Amino acid sequence: MVCLAATDLAEPVKSGELWKLDKQELQAKYMRGVRYSPVDENTLRIDAANTLTIGKIAPAEMVFKLDGDHLASIQVIIYNKGDDGAIPQEAFENKVKESVAAVEEVVGAPGKAGKGSEKETGIKTRAWDWEWETGAIHLDSGSTGGSSKNKKKPGTPFTAEFIRLNLGPDAAAIETGGARDAVAHSELKKNVRHEENGDVWIDNVPMVDQGQKGYCVPASMSRVFAYYGMDGVDQHALAAVCGSSGDQGTRTDNMEESMQQICKKFPIRIVNLENKKLRDYTTFILDLIAKYNKTAKTMGADPIPVDGTVTPFDHGDPEVLLKARAGKAADVSKWIGDISKQINSGIPVLWCVTLGIYKEAVPLPQGRGGHMRLIIGYNKAEKTIIYTDSWGAGHEKKTMPADEAMSMTSSRYVLRR
């Protein structure tokens, strides 16, 4: 069902009526016919929200945050590189000016200009704030590159990254945490749950829905950052830091480099659970091919050519790959053991995989290829892992046999301060 005419939220935002509504009232009064998807039990997401406007603002995406049963805040993405594609600098600057003017028209007052803190969000931003008796709005825009004052060292090409709004009943409702707001690691253990069936898992890891964008690395890392208390460092800012594109995402062999780029911006270090030293991806693949081909010979299967054109992840036989990587029970137990040490401390594991090798219980919005997800738990007795994907509702907590999980893994990492 689709609305024929857009619903304008400008008046209820200005009057503060919006923040008095519970979920049912919000849906009945302003979201009839609007297609939305739940991100989690407290979050609703509208992709390409052309049926809702805020004055002259036509959002590309809206995320409604609930506190219990009542609407607490809204994030509006006016533009982001991942969904909307690249635009020239002049067009981006005009879009920022139009967005500021549109908010001023809704509120009836000019905004207070502020400076975005690169130390807090990882990217330089420009910001404007409005606060009145019944509401508050924060608008910021981010871009990278552009002109350089040093003629001998020309700057990197300009890239428009995002324009976004945060709206709420007051400034406190839309305040987000930056790098200085990270919680102590000792506090993270409080999120670990022990179930009677042997499941040990981390609760309270925020969900982020990356949508159709190839933002699995920035989305997954932003979830860990938010879990650490740094919820102001979102996927759009991290995508700008590591250079993720909306169509191609972040290639498997570039995931580690992307994570390193992100961690350099914050008091965070990355630890590779596969090796003490961060390794060369080509060497890893060549070692994997050698192990795969040795196993394939014993199983009477075709080998993988050692010419760099294909990998066991792309074209290998799933059963051969399983035997080659996880054929020994002791290896699988050690693999789970490495994970359990992190989970027991309340630390999620960033998990780089190739999807499409083994069938998963929950249908995936992505075909075969590289992806990053989070491991948030394990069960040693059943030899399973508990994991989550940044695709919203239905992907919060899933299980998989550990041997299959191990076989499809390219690497595992944790973030530490």
Side-chain angles (χ1 to χ4, degrees), residues 168-183:
D170 51 48
I174 58 176
E175 185 176 343
T176 55
R180 290 174 295 184
D181 300 292
V183 299

Side-chain angles (χ1 to χ4, degrees), residues 66-86:
L66 302 168
D67 183 4
D69 199 37
H70 280 74
L71 182 62
S73 65
I74 303 173
Q75 183 181 70
V76 175
I77 303 298
I78 298 173
Y79 164 83
N80 83 83
K81 174 185 65 178
D83 286 318
D84 303 316

